[in-house]
Amino acid sequence: METTVDVNHIFPERITVLDQNLISFTKSLGRSDPQSLIAAVIDELGRASAKAQYLTAPITSASKLQTNKHHLYLLKDRESNGGRGLAVGFLKVGCKKLFLLDQRGAHVETEPLCVLDFFVTEHLQRHGYGLELFSFMLQHKKVEPVMMAYDRPSPKFLSFLEKHYCLKNGVPQVNNFVVFDGFFTNRSAAQWRKVPPKKLDGEIKPYSLTQRGAVREEQRALPWPLCCPAAPPFSPPLSVSSPCSPSRARQCPNPALAPASAPGGYRGPAPKPPLIGSLNYRHCSLCDLSF
């Protein structure tokens, strides 16, 4: 890409690897990295990539690279642009946590290395620059192309992968990523985490027969009276009262014991605290007999 920036000065290597600090991994000793110039080149390449892919906004920029743990591989041509160098293209990769479907339709969770953006200046395509850039990345990351995931690859990129790496049988996914058959077969089981199916709201799992039998055995092993089910607490009815129960109803009158001077007649003894169950009736009868 033609630019007034001296690319050879800010990118000393043919392929420069940049991280989120916009610092080259392979910079020469004693050479400073002018980050503002580096950011300008990255932004220009990102806009050109978005235009080539018919995107409404760039997915690669210096600010996005600084906020993510991605790596950007930038390829230059030293002899072009009047000896100042030319930024030919770039490749951006990074790890992403993905939920994917394998060949059997099972959901798996993994975090592979992903190709997030790949661009070579249009008039320099089909000159081997893309293959050189991609091969350098594979060696730097020590990864096979079949073990990677590809974010929204263009038809040109898919043809590139099929031509140079024989990747042509993609496994359909519900997201924008593309993976190929060997992605699942060549990966160890330790790298996968099976995602259980989502349970329906309000679903209650009943006790199994084994669990019910264990509960019964525990109840039989308990000493009496712990093994017996506890009776509900006694609650005297509010609307029905026994003739002798100490409730809001009047007590049973005994005319023989009523004093003559009582102006209102005998009102009975003071109410006693309630007892449990049928003992209320027996207690009332014993009180009458004691007089």
Side-chain angles (χ1 to χ4, degrees):
M1 176 175 293
E2 297 289 340
T3 178
T4 58
V5 177
D6 190 346
V7 175
N8 288 331
H9 175 70
I10 60 177
F11 301 113
E13 306 294 335
R14 179 172 175 83
I15 297 180
T16 302
V17 186
L18 299 170
D19 63 1
Q20 60 185 352
N21 298 315
L22 301 185
I23 296 177
S24 170
F25 274 80
T26 58
K27 69 176 182 177
S28 301
L29 295 176
R31 184 185 294 270
S32 61
D33 288 330
Q35 292 190 358
S36 60
L37 297 178
I38 293 176
V41 174
I42 294 175
D43 292 342
E44 188 66 25
L45 289 171
R47 286 190 291 267
S49 176
K51 182 179 179 181
Q53 299 179 65
Y54 303 100
L55 302 178
T56 57
I59 58 177
T60 298
S61 65
S63 60
K64 292 181 180 180
L65 185 63
Q66 289 175 310
T67 56
N68 294 280
K69 294 182 179 180
H70 298 158
H71 287 157
L72 188 141
Y73 299 82
L74 191 145
L75 173 64
K76 74 167 186 177
D77 181 4
R78 180 180 296 274
E79 306 301 328
S80 300
N81 197 20
R84 292 178 298 184
L86 176 69
V88 175
F90 73 94
L91 173 63
K92 185 175 71 172
V93 300
C95 293
K96 289 279 189 179
K97 181 177 291 187
L98 302 177
F99 293 89
L100 302 175
L101 295 172
D102 62 12
Q103 297 93 330
R104 296 172 297 177
H107 289 268
V108 293
E109 179 184 351
T110 183
E111 193 170 353
L113 184 67
C114 305
V115 175
L116 305 174
D117 202 0
F118 188 21
F119 171 74
V120 174
T121 304
E122 292 190 29
H123 71 275
L124 294 176
Q125 294 178 4
R126 301 184 182 276
H127 286 72
Y129 292 114
L131 182 59
E132 180 184 358
L133 190 57
F134 200 84
S135 299
F136 182 91
M137 180 274 299
L138 295 178
Q139 294 177 5
H140 182 260
K141 290 294 187 180
K142 295 179 175 59
V143 65
E144 295 294 331
V146 71
M147 305 304 294
M148 302 181 67
Y150 302 87
D151 185 12
R152 292 173 291 188
S154 64
K156 288 184 178 180
F157 190 19
L158 291 175
S159 299
F160 170 87
L161 294 173
E162 181 178 358
K163 177 182 178 180
H164 298 289
Y165 300 102
C166 300
L167 300 178
K168 57 182 179 180
N169 296 322
V171 181
Q173 302 296 323
V174 296
N175 50 27
N176 295 320
F177 285 84
V178 172
V179 294
F180 297 92
D181 283 340
F183 182 87
F184 297 98
T185 58
N186 297 335
R187 196 175 295 265
S188 63
Q191 295 176 292
W192 298 113
R193 191 179 77 85
K194 293 289 184 180
V195 179
K198 185 178 180 182
K199 294 183 179 180
L200 298 177
D201 294 337
E203 181 181 357
I204 300 176
K205 180 180 179 181
Y207 283 114
S208 64
L209 295 178
T210 305
Q211 290 173 323
R212 291 177 181 175
V215 171
R216 295 194 195 100
E217 293 298 329
E218 291 178 359
Q219 290 179 348
R220 293 193 190 102
L222 294 175
W224 187 90
L226 298 179
C227 61
C228 300
F234 175 75
S235 177
L238 299 179
S239 58
V240 180
S241 301
S242 173
C244 298
S245 62
S247 64
R248 287 180 295 179
R250 296 185 60 183
Q251 302 295 324
C252 300
N254 191 344
L257 299 178
S261 59
Y266 177 70
R267 296 183 180 271
K272 298 183 180 296
L275 297 178
I276 299 176
S278 61
L279 295 178
N280 291 336
Y281 299 97
R282 183 180 179 185
H283 176 75
C284 181
S285 303
L286 290 177
C287 291
D288 293 341
L289 292 176
S290 63
F291 285 91

